[in-house]
Amino acid sequence: MTTKEKKFEYKGMMAPTFTPFNPDGSLNLAIIPRYAQLLHDGGVTGVFVNGTNGEGMSLTTAERKLVAEAWAKSRGMAGKVVIQVGGLNLRDSQELARHAVSIGASAIACLPHLYDKPGTIAELVAYCKEVASAAPEIPFLYYHIPFKTGVELPMDKFLEAASLEIPNLAGLKFTSMEVETEGYGCLKAVGGSMTVLNGFDEVMSKSRRVGFHGAIGGCLNFMPLEAGRLLCLSGIADDDGSTCCVPRLERLDEIYRLQNRINTLWDIVRKHCGCSFVSGAKFVMKSLTGVDVGPARKPQQPLSEETEKLLSDERRENNYPY
Ligand SMILES: CC(=O)N[C@@H]([C@@H](O)[C@H](O)[C@H](O)CO)[C@@H](O)CC(=O)C(=O)O
């Protein structure tokens, strides 16, 4: 593999896709082409499959392959197809990594082991190396999401150490609020050669300002136009008024407004759905786009009619969509 191939050269908005289910809980793969078209129309240029929104950890390995294949078939619309292969026993993650190569995925991403959690950078590097080496032909991204995994190791140091051991290491999905400190360190790590993608919508603007390459955020499934404008305005340097037709103060107001709109929507979902956040997010997806990705799987709880009504009422009161 050449240096260029092992890098994940990507800039833009990538949707962490919801796995569509039928009401009986079986996969609804037939809807994926329409879902991919919707993302494409909103300016989304990649998909992150079988992650948190995708409920990868609630799917069987066979189902994860089917979902990955369906997105790979829709790559004409979906753009870059990144398959999250972690959250399982190592053997299955390696099998999914090989499968990702066989279907022409753009890259794989991987969580740490969720039970035998790594306690040191060396342990995390060793684990990632096992997975990455099963798919040496394509880039490997680490999926950093400490609030879910409990693995809180410093990512800038991880990238430095992993780059010496994993030839196809290309970067990470950084799902932490620490974008201006640790996240910035990741951008500077390994001579600035790693791709760093933001994972929390709440810090989308900040992450763009410090130079993250892109965003993988749930809101990109249903409000990509607002998110795209937010990312675009946030990427304009303050001292370079000449490149932007929107005056600086107006621009800052608009950034503030757009970031707040995204945050408010997530606050509504969190308030009514708590731990069944993906159930709520899937309901929002259906309400705002008409693409029905169905219910979430347990342990996410189904939404009661009352919760659905509360979500709908608050959504409308806050003018989503415009
Ligand atoms: C934990 C979680 O759900 N994170 C979301 C965010 O978009 C999140 O929903 C949003 O920032 C609200 O907190 C994405 O990062 C999910 C994601 O990338 C994935 O599906 O793997």
Side-chain angles (χ1 to χ4, degrees), residues 30-74:
I31 206 173
I32 287 182
R34 182 164 157 232
Y35 189 171
Q37 176 78 55
L38 173 94
L39 297 175
H40 176 79
D41 292 348
V44 170
T45 52
V47 287
F48 188 82
V49 178
N50 293 337
T52 309
N53 278 345
E55 301 173 81
M57 279 54 70
S58 299
L59 303 179
T60 65
T61 303
E63 286 176 326
R64 283 171 73 149
K65 287 185 184 172
L66 290 172
V67 175
E69 285 165 20
W71 281 107
K73 278 192 200 128
S74 283

Side-chain angles (χ1 to χ4, degrees), residues 16 48 51-53 143 147 173 199-202 218 266 270 277:
F48 188 82
T52 309
N53 278 345
Y143 185 0
F147 95 99
K173 172 180 188 291
F200 268 139
D201 294 343
E202 291 82 348
W266 285 131
R270 204 169 286 111
F277 190 81

Side-chain angles (χ1 to χ4, degrees), residues 156-177:
D156 44 354
K157 295 199 170 51
F158 164 75
L159 290 175
E160 291 290 356
S163 69
L164 303 175
E165 298 284 331
I166 304 176
N168 51 336
L169 178 78
L172 82 173
K173 172 180 188 291
F174 187 84
T175 310
S176 154
M177 297 292 182

